Amino acid sequence: MKLEGTFLVAAPRDTVWELLTDPDVLARTLPGCERLSVAGENRYEGVISVGIAAIRSTYTGSVVLDDIRPPESYSLAVDGQGTGGFIKGRGRITLTEQAGQTSMAVSGDAQIGGRIAGVGQRLLDGAAKKTLKDFAAALGEEARKRLEREYRGFRG
Amino acid sequence: MATRPRYVGTRVKRSYARRLIQGLAHYVDDVRLPDTLHAAILRSPHAHARLGAIRTTEAAKAPGVVRVLTGADVTGKIGNVACASALEGLRIPPHPVLAVGKVRYVGEPVAVVVADDPYRAADAVELIDVEYDPLPAVTDPEAAAAAGAPVLHEEYGDNIAYQWNLSGGDIEAAFAAADRVVKSRLVHQRVVPNAMEGRGVLARYFPGEKELTVWTSTQIPHLARSVLAGMLSVPEHKLRVITPEVGGGFGSKLNVYGEEAIVAYLSMLLGRPVKWIERRRENFQATIHGRGQVGEVQMAVKNDGTILGMRYHVIADLGAYHQLLTPAIPTLTGLMQTGPYRIPALDTRVTGVFTNKVATDAYRGAGRPEATYICERAIDLIAHDLGLDPVDVRRRNFPSASEFPFTTATGLQYDTGDYVKALDRAVEIADYRALRAEQREARARGRYLGVGISTYVEICALGPSAAAPPGVGWWESATVRVEPSGKVTVMTGASPHGQGQETSFAQIAADMLGVDLDDVTVIHGDTAIVQYGIGTFGSRATAVGGTAVWKAIEKVLAKATKFAAVLMGVEESSVRFDGGRFTSSTGGDKSATIQEVAGAAYAAKALPADTEPGLSATCFFEPKNFTFPFGAHIVSVEVDAETGAIKILRYVAVDDCGKVINPMLVDGQVQGGIAQGLGQALLEEAIYDEGGQLVTGTFMDYAIPRAIDMPRLELHRTETPTDVNPLGVKGVGEAGTIASSAAIVNAVVDALAPFGVRHLDMPLKAEKIWKAARVRVAAGV
Amino acid sequence: MYAAAFEYHAPSTVNDALALLAQHGGDAKILAGGQSLIPLMKLRLASPPVLIDLGRVTELVGIREEPGALVIGAMTTHHAIEASPLVRSRLPLLSDVAAAIGDLQVRNRGTIGGSLAHADPAADWPAALLALDAEVTAVSRSKRTIPASAFFRDLLTTALEPGEILTSIRVPVPAAGGHAYAKVRQPASGFALVGIAVQLAIEAGKIRSAAVGVTGVAATPYRAAATERQLANRAPDADAIAAAAEHVVDGVEVLSDLRASSEFRSQLARVHAKRAITAASRM
């Protein structure tokens, strides 16, 4: 299953990069993320509940970052296992400055095995798109809050 | 036998229909024993992976759980799943009942949980933690056959399970002499049999008596018993297999599955009954699939349509492991390669290939729908490429009725047949000329009608035991017992699961013995009650099993005649039997009813010379040949070029299954058979993604025909009895499926001819049709 | 498979249901006809710890007439709507849509409220309710109405807030004209690969205004505004209809799946829009 999407985040690239490499922010913004903690260099472990509305499956697994080029891009490898089966994703996130804002491009593919693979085919693509969209929106919200704090801090 | 049969040949309603409709029948799940434990299976979510640690502690502690077992626990305790095929050079990889070392298809059993109710067992399965180290999977059979593919069974170095070749005549000469070679690539997609009742097993072991009883939804109770006895190291005579009502099999239960052995083993281990009822998702993933062939056909032809020779090179998608007959099915395609045609030269090569999917095996038609499809598509391609009428090409290549028994280039001897007659009949009933005229007229107005023909011959009523797999015969057995009261018990080794032999065998017995239909009971499916039998598959129950009944009754009548002679005080040679009554040509108006004779036989007051008391007989009937039913189906369709929608306008079937015992049952078989062939042609496909996930895993995505999808079927028959058995019966269970896919595809391709379409693979989904029709539209014609 | 264990409640009033919903929060799921939820639960794709069954809340069942509209209780079955003479006389488009849903068994158990709250992208009701400018009433601590145009937010996501129950749907009776529902059934599930609901206001042989609701094509149902604009104040001749139908997938991202690529889906939408509008214009 292909995962593609480009989203505009209302914050400068450096800010977005910081957010994207902050496990606490990721834990808050990744839709369905229940727990995310650092487990080594460029490695996170956690629990994520994937799905839409009532259709959910919980996976325990890891995210490993690779080929990191701050503040531009990194690759990530996601591996999760749960009672519903497994998920495996490989992708790259690329940030481009766009007039003080950031265009975030997500590109990759995911493999889903187990229950939902044999049942939810027609919903998988849509669910993936929605998840990416919601993630980008949450990231945008985090960016806004951070900028506000910085601004207030700046104002003193 | 009565001069005019009272029952045989008439539309007698099934005696057991009422209990099925009223929900009073007993399927495996309806058998309730006290203290039963329930099993649930953990199945692999990976198509190909190394199996690491399996942590079962949490599951074992879960509420209600009694035991959790993995492959390591049953190695050496339960034998591997059996494959009965013995082709030369066949590789049979070990097939453990619970995965060991590797998993090779999504759905492969990895562990089993036993708990006090099925819900808790299902909950506990979720608590088992398995380490998988995923490997690349290969699902496309051509890719699996190619070098560099991920190898499923590493000991072989590649995924080739076998290479089977069949040749006849001089193929080189045939192709050299041809005016033209007509060829096409053909794909038979994998389909899911989807019997209404999934698999199910209940096992009960009595530790004191060391007796094991297994209730299982199977088509082969005696064979299953023999195989399970081997797998469990239980003496065969201490194992009883009972087949309760079976909700459909269609070949998917012509098998012995690992779960049957696992459940039986658990009962032996725990000393309590254990039950496992398959869920529909499991049925999709882990019960055998049907079909799965990709190949190319080449026909060497003269310009007048005469076929000189035929080549078929095919790759068979076997799945990850063999089930009972997995490798054999594509070889049945090879045997029936030449169909109802006089094709003197033949070159068939079948490459059986392992893929990361569940095994394929027998599914209604089992190799013969593929053979018919290849022939019938080829005929239409010949007609198309040479500008001939497809009816004429068929007629030109049929053997005439006087050429029977007809020996094919594949080495088979077709018993009887009149293919021209069946085709002529279908052409007449369908009004073929009018259909073609209608088609021309419609094309002029931008409507696309198509006419498709399928003339088939199929091989069934297995069969001569020499042709069966090693260790197994293909005869069938019957014991007919006239009780002291004159009621009749027929015990058949066949195992009907919807075909209706409880009725049709009763018809045969009632007519032969001159009793009422209700006075006959037919028993099957219990190895403790019924003598060893082979089972129901390959459209054999009536032709082989019914003949066994017939011959057993002949023996009964011979013995009864002796008793009648004594009762009437006449010479045995003067005794006549008709309509349930013995008379004598020399005895005046003396007579004795079969009931009186039965009573006398058991009372044994005056035994005839050299005769034992009682009145029953057993026959094990060994047929000297297969039988070869045949027929012609003609279908007309309309295709909507804008949407790809297909509408079947008329469906005419002329089938010849030899003599007909019960026309209603035969109609039912043909209708059901056509439905499944229609399903393959238009709707069904078991799709695996590149990662080996079965994407069409439920009825949300896997479409099977419903009543509303079925066109009105016009069913007709010709009757050309076989000389293989005294009943003259050939078999009809699979004929509808064998004929129909080709007829429908031929019709749709014919409809799309104005668009330059020559061939389309099944299933004929709307998008495929629409894309094919766009070519011409784009060209502005 | 078997569903995971759950706690089951069957309240008899909306207020009781709301109380239970508030009490259990995110753990609770409403059960209406169960035609979507129960299969999801049996497949363990959804495992809500608490089920609140509205099957005994009789106040949510029924179809009544108001001035200029019909109000349908959320727990009214598809079959009841299909069989209702009142609906057939005032809102025949709804009768046609109801008849096209699933199969007989699904129509006997499934409810309009349950279907809307689940918001399957291939469900049939949304196309018609959008075309008819229906309104949904939702209740929690207070009551509010949500127009259909604002109800379907995203894939399987509606405007309903947690803790809200959809209680009724109000459908205005349209101006005189014609209607049609054209649906291409996904052969396995019976859901709409494409579903086009058309309601035309016709006056003096001309289409005064057109409403075209589309389902199955995008992640959410929508009104084909471009098509509607092209039909407004036009005589319904074949060319006009064909030209308008060409725009039926304008501005939406067309779904692509096992059964239909986005290209084919678009084709089906255009063809069936043309046929539905034609059928509606001939009434």
Side-chain angles (χ1 to χ4, degrees):
Chain A
M1 185 179 63
K2 294 246 153 284
L3 290 165
E4 307 277 345
T6 307
F7 309 91
L8 199 59
V9 183
R13 190 166 67 169
D14 287 348
T15 310
V16 179
W17 178 263
E18 265 174 51
L19 295 171
L20 278 178
T21 48
D22 181 340
D24 291 330
V25 170
L26 289 176
R28 281 196 297 273
T29 55
L30 277 171
C33 184
E34 291 174 14
R35 189 168 53 75
L36 192 70
S37 50
V38 177
E41 178 153 7
N42 296 322
R43 189 194 166 88
Y44 305 99
E45 275 174 6
V47 176
I48 186 165
S49 150
V50 175
I52 295 190
I55 305 173
R56 292 211 157 266
S57 242
T58 306
Y59 299 90
T60 306
S62 64
V63 180
V64 176
L65 304 188
D66 193 27
D67 192 12
I68 303 170
R69 303 183 207 171
E72 249 180 50
S73 62
Y74 63 67
S75 291
L76 38 82
V78 176
D79 270 291
Q81 284 227 103
T83 56
F86 64 88
I87 48 171
K88 199 175 148 112
R90 299 283 174 274
R92 190 152 189 89
I93 299 188
T94 310
L95 306 177
T96 327
E97 280 281 357
Q98 221 174 290
Q101 302 193 332
T102 308
S103 169
M104 178 175 76
V106 179
S107 169
D109 49 80
Q111 235 236 337
I112 311 241
R115 250 176 244 149
I116 195 153
V119 182
Q121 275 306 306
R122 69 189 175 106
L123 299 174
L124 279 179
D125 269 350
K129 284 199 179 89
K130 183 173 191 309
T131 304
L132 282 180
K133 217 168 61 180
D134 290 349
F135 171 56
L139 207 59
E141 186 52 26
E142 282 289 320
R144 192 187 62 75
K145 284 197 250 177
R146 180 163 291 205
L147 288 176
E148 229 180 63
R149 274 201 302 277
E150 283 174 11
Y151 179 62
R152 277 202 220 102
F154 175 67
R155 280 184 66 205
Chain B
M1 198 92 135
T3 39
R4 200 183 66 235
R6 201 172 142 203
Y7 296 112
V8 169
T10 69
R11 304 178 78 85
V12 176
K13 280 195 183 155
R14 295 175 206 238
S15 45
Y16 57 95
R18 186 175 296 273
R19 73 173 185 261
L20 294 179
I21 296 166
Q22 290 182 323
L24 296 172
H26 281 89
Y27 298 86
V28 171
D29 201 12
D30 295 311
V31 181
R32 301 278 155 97
L33 301 176
D35 281 345
T36 297
L37 294 169
H38 298 264
I41 311 252
L42 173 68
R43 297 183 182 276
S44 171
H46 291 276
H48 199 195
R50 293 206 197 285
L51 205 49
I54 306 179
R55 283 177 273 273
T56 59
T57 343
E58 284 307 304
K61 285 192 308 203
V65 172
V66 167
R67 194 65 66 103
V68 182
L69 298 180
T70 67
D73 297 318
V74 300
T75 304
K77 310 266 174 49
I78 307 179
N80 286 341
V81 177
C83 173
S85 189
L87 302 172
E88 200 189 303
L90 172 66
R91 288 167 168 169
I92 303 184
H95 185 179
V97 300
L98 291 174
V100 170
K102 255 180 140 187
V103 288
R104 296 179 175 85
Y105 66 98
V106 168
E108 180 170 357
V110 170
V112 62
V113 170
V114 190
D116 54 11
D117 75 43
Y119 310 98
R120 299 217 236 187
D123 286 345
V125 162
E126 312 248 289
L127 300 174
I128 302 177
D129 183 36
V130 184
E131 258 171 37
Y132 293 105
D133 183 13
L135 298 165
V138 59
T139 53
D140 178 275
E142 290 174 296
V151 175
L152 272 77
H153 302 282
E154 283 146 57
E155 63 266 38
Y156 301 134
D158 61 38
N159 294 318
I160 309 298
Y162 69 88
Q163 182 65 47
W164 182 83
N165 302 336
L166 182 66
S167 53
D170 188 341
I171 196 71
E172 299 299 332
F175 274 75
D179 288 331
R180 196 169 180 135
V181 173
V182 173
K183 58 170 111 164
S184 181
R185 180 182 151 89
L186 295 169
V187 176
H188 292 94
Q189 79 278 29
R190 262 193 183 230
V191 291
V192 179
N194 271 315
M196 192 178 288
E197 182 207 13
R199 295 180 286 144
V201 194
L202 168 65
R204 179 186 64 192
Y205 184 65
F206 282 141
E209 295 85 338
K210 291 199 168 59
E211 280 171 4
L212 177 63
T213 304
V214 177
W215 287 260
T216 179
S217 189
T218 185
Q219 295 173 228
I220 47 169
H222 288 93
L223 296 181
R225 172 175 171 246
S226 298
V227 172
L228 285 172
M231 287 172 84
L232 298 164
S233 301
V234 164
E236 196 178 7
H237 64 303
K238 295 296 228 177
L239 170 54
R240 176 182 184 184
V241 171
I242 300 176
T243 301
E245 204 80 61
V246 172
F250 309 113
S252 69
K253 295 171 182 174
L254 160 57
N255 231 304
V256 181
Y257 289 90
E259 289 90 338
E260 290 169 284
I262 292 170
V263 170
Y265 174 74
L266 285 166
S267 182
M268 292 169 70
L269 188 67
L270 302 170
R272 284 171 70 175
V274 178
K275 186 189 256 190
W276 172 71
I277 301 297
E278 182 182 57
R279 312 304 295 169
R280 181 58 54 182
R281 281 214 72 204
E282 294 179 284
N283 186 265
F284 266 93
Q285 283 184 355
T287 296
I288 60 99
H289 289 176
R291 319 284 185 254
Q293 290 184 22
V294 179
E296 190 186 63
V297 66
Q298 294 183 4
M299 306 291 263
V301 294
K302 305 292 289 172
N303 283 329
D304 66 0
T306 307
I307 302 169
L308 302 177
M310 174 176 196
R311 276 202 175 106
Y312 183 52
H313 294 180
V314 62
I315 291 182
D317 174 3
L318 303 181
Y321 301 94
H322 300 315
Q323 284 284 151
L324 199 64
L325 297 171
T326 300
I329 308 303
T331 65
L332 288 175
T333 305
L335 279 179
M336 290 306 292
Q337 202 55 77
T338 53
Y341 306 109
R342 196 192 299 104
I343 300 179
L346 168 81
D347 166 38
T348 293
R349 298 193 203 161
V350 178
T351 307
V353 166
F354 292 118
T355 54
N356 289 112
K357 308 180 207 169
V358 69
T360 50
D361 206 312
Y363 167 56
R364 201 165 197 167
R368 290 100 73 207
E370 294 93 314
T372 295
Y373 184 75
I374 293 154
C375 265
E376 294 309 284
R377 282 301 304 130
I379 294 280
D380 265 30
L381 286 166
I382 291 168
H384 176 275
D385 288 359
L386 293 175
L388 302 169
D389 186 299
V391 171
D392 295 337
V393 176
R394 287 173 168 88
R395 282 212 189 98
R396 179 174 292 282
N397 289 288
F398 280 161
S400 68
S402 57
E403 288 175 64
F404 285 79
F406 177 73
T407 303
T408 69
T410 62
L412 293 173
Q413 197 183 67
Y414 292 172
D415 53 359
T416 60
D418 193 341
Y419 306 147
V420 176
K421 182 159 141 203
L423 178 57
D424 283 350
R425 189 93 206 282
V427 161
E428 185 199 320
I429 295 167
D431 201 350
Y432 181 76
R433 304 289 155 218
L435 286 179
R436 286 295 182 201
E438 213 187 314
Q439 179 183 44
R440 276 189 296 274
E441 201 193 57
R443 270 184 197 160
R445 284 182 284 116
R447 279 177 66 216
Y448 303 98
L449 304 185
V451 183
I453 304 168
S454 173
T455 45
Y456 72 94
V457 62
E458 86 108 337
I459 181 173
C460 70
L462 320 181
S465 294
V472 176
W474 266 346
W475 41 267
E476 194 46 88
S477 67
T479 296
V480 177
R481 196 169 65 208
V482 182
E483 312 290 355
S485 62
K487 304 294 186 211
V488 182
T489 302
V490 173
M491 288 177 289
T492 171
S495 195
H497 43 280
Q499 292 85 346
Q501 276 79 16
E502 288 157 352
T503 305
S504 60
F505 285 6
Q507 287 171 262
I508 295 170
D511 274 356
M512 286 181 86
L513 293 166
V515 300
D516 288 341
L517 196 65
D518 287 340
D519 287 346
V520 182
T521 204
V522 177
I523 296 180
H524 59 91
D526 185 333
T527 63
I529 296 178
V530 179
Q531 70 291 339
Y532 205 95
I534 303 301
T536 291
F537 51 89
S539 307
R540 69 191 303 272
T542 304
V544 190
T547 299
V549 171
W550 192 92
K551 285 181 170 250
I553 295 178
E554 291 244 287
K555 293 187 195 178
V556 163
L557 285 174
K559 190 172 184 188
T561 299
K562 292 191 196 309
F563 276 97
V566 167
L567 262 185
M568 294 190 291
V570 299
E571 284 294 316
E572 194 189 317
S573 55
S574 74
V575 176
R576 307 280 171 263
F577 179 70
D578 188 32
R581 185 170 288 276
F582 292 91
T583 52
S584 167
S585 58
T586 59
D589 54 12
K590 284 196 198 154
S591 75
T593 64
I594 183 79
Q595 290 80 9
E596 286 164 344
V597 168
Y602 286 92
K605 304 297 183 211
L607 287 173
D610 301 316
T611 305
E612 297 166 11
L615 191 57
S616 73
T618 298
C619 169
F620 285 71
F621 172 58
E622 164 73 17
K624 62 182 193 284
N625 193 1
F626 306 95
T627 64
F628 297 88
F630 60 93
H633 290 203
I634 298 187
V635 179
S636 76
V637 301
E638 173 159 8
V639 174
D640 181 334
E642 273 191 315
T643 62
I646 296 169
K647 180 158 182 233
I648 297 182
L649 301 174
R650 279 190 76 190
Y651 195 113
V652 171
V654 174
D655 298 292
D656 192 316
C657 57
K659 276 210 70 65
V660 170
I661 308 292
N662 185 327
M664 193 189 306
L665 293 177
V666 171
D667 285 347
Q669 287 294 354
V670 175
Q671 285 164 348
I674 291 174
Q676 288 179 303
L678 183 152
Q680 171 148 27
L682 299 178
L683 299 169
E684 302 183 41
E685 189 177 7
I687 301 175
Y688 286 83
D689 68 15
E690 334 74 55
Q693 297 296 320
L694 177 60
V695 155
T696 51
T698 67
F699 290 123
M700 283 293 283
D701 291 300
Y702 188 93
I704 58 175
R706 284 101 174 214
I708 53 168
D709 297 317
M710 291 296 293
R712 200 183 124 247
L713 301 175
E714 300 170 54
L715 303 184
H716 300 268
R717 276 188 275 283
T718 56
E719 204 173 275
T720 312
T722 180
D723 52 5
V724 168
N725 61 63
L727 291 173
V729 162
K730 289 196 179 190
V732 76
E734 294 159 284
T737 302
I738 287 164
S740 53
S741 303
I744 294 168
V745 173
N746 279 347
V748 173
V749 172
D750 183 59
L752 294 171
F755 299 98
V757 172
R758 212 174 148 262
H759 177 68
L760 288 174
D761 279 321
M762 305 182 283
L764 297 175
K765 295 195 210 173
E767 178 156 4
K768 192 182 288 191
I769 304 296
W770 172 65
K771 285 203 164 115
R774 281 168 87 194
V775 177
R776 175 87 160 228
V777 170
V781 190
Chain C
M1 289 173 68
Y2 296 106
F6 56 89
E7 207 179 288
Y8 173 80
H9 300 273
S12 14
T13 66
V14 174
N15 284 334
D16 286 348
L18 285 169
L20 284 164
L21 208 50
Q23 179 191 348
H24 294 283
D27 277 353
K29 188 91 181 78
I30 301 268
L31 175 67
Q35 299 304 292
S36 292
L37 183 58
I38 301 288
L40 286 172
M41 289 176 67
K42 288 174 76 172
L43 290 164
R44 298 211 181 192
L45 290 179
S47 298
V50 178
L51 269 196
I52 301 170
D53 182 352
L54 297 182
R56 290 180 214 178
V57 183
T58 49
E59 62 186 284
L60 290 178
V61 179
I63 304 167
R64 68 168 200 278
E65 190 166 14
E66 270 184 10
L70 288 188
V71 178
I72 305 174
M75 287 298 288
T76 309
T77 63
H78 309 312
H79 173 74
I81 299 171
E82 178 190 357
S84 159
L86 185 57
V87 173
R88 176 49 69 188
S89 75
R90 301 283 186 278
L91 282 159
L93 176 60
L94 293 186
S95 315
D96 288 353
V97 168
I101 296 173
D103 54 47
L104 195 59
Q105 291 88 345
V106 164
R107 294 197 288 277
N108 280 338
R109 300 282 317 166
T111 66
I112 185 167
S115 168
L116 291 177
H118 183 62
D120 191 297
D124 298 290
W125 284 124
L129 296 177
L130 281 175
L132 294 167
D133 288 316
E135 269 174 2
V136 158
T137 299
V139 165
S140 59
R141 262 166 315 188
S142 53
K143 201 190 242 200
R144 64 183 180 121
T145 55
I146 310 166
S149 53
F151 186 75
F152 304 101
R153 287 278 179 75
D154 204 332
L155 186 67
L156 296 172
T157 311
T158 67
L160 290 174
E161 299 287 333
E164 266 188 325
I165 296 180
L166 191 167
T167 53
S168 65
I169 302 102
R170 182 180 182 281
V171 192
V173 174
H179 69 276
Y181 184 56
K183 173 180 179 180
V184 179
R185 296 174 73 89
Q186 202 263 61
S189 68
F191 274 96
L193 272 183
V194 157
I196 316 271
V198 174
Q199 185 72 43
L200 303 176
I202 300 180
E203 216 177 271
K206 267 213 202 158
I207 298 174
R208 209 161 48 77
S209 69
V212 178
V214 180
T215 185
V217 170
T220 56
Y222 65 95
R223 288 272 294 262
T227 299
E228 293 172 356
R229 275 195 301 273
Q230 284 216 0
L231 289 171
N233 297 312
R234 294 288 308 264
D237 62 75
D239 289 334
I241 293 175
E246 280 299 300
H247 296 276
V248 77
V249 298
D250 280 8
V252 295
E253 199 177 329
V254 178
L255 296 171
S256 191
D257 61 26
L258 271 187
R259 279 287 158 183
S261 66
S262 49
E263 197 194 0
F264 182 54
R265 219 183 214 91
S266 303
Q267 163 73 4
L268 288 176
R270 285 189 290 261
V271 170
H272 287 280
K274 183 175 70 178
R275 293 182 187 178
I277 297 165
T278 305
S281 69
R282 288 192 184 147
M283 289 199 147

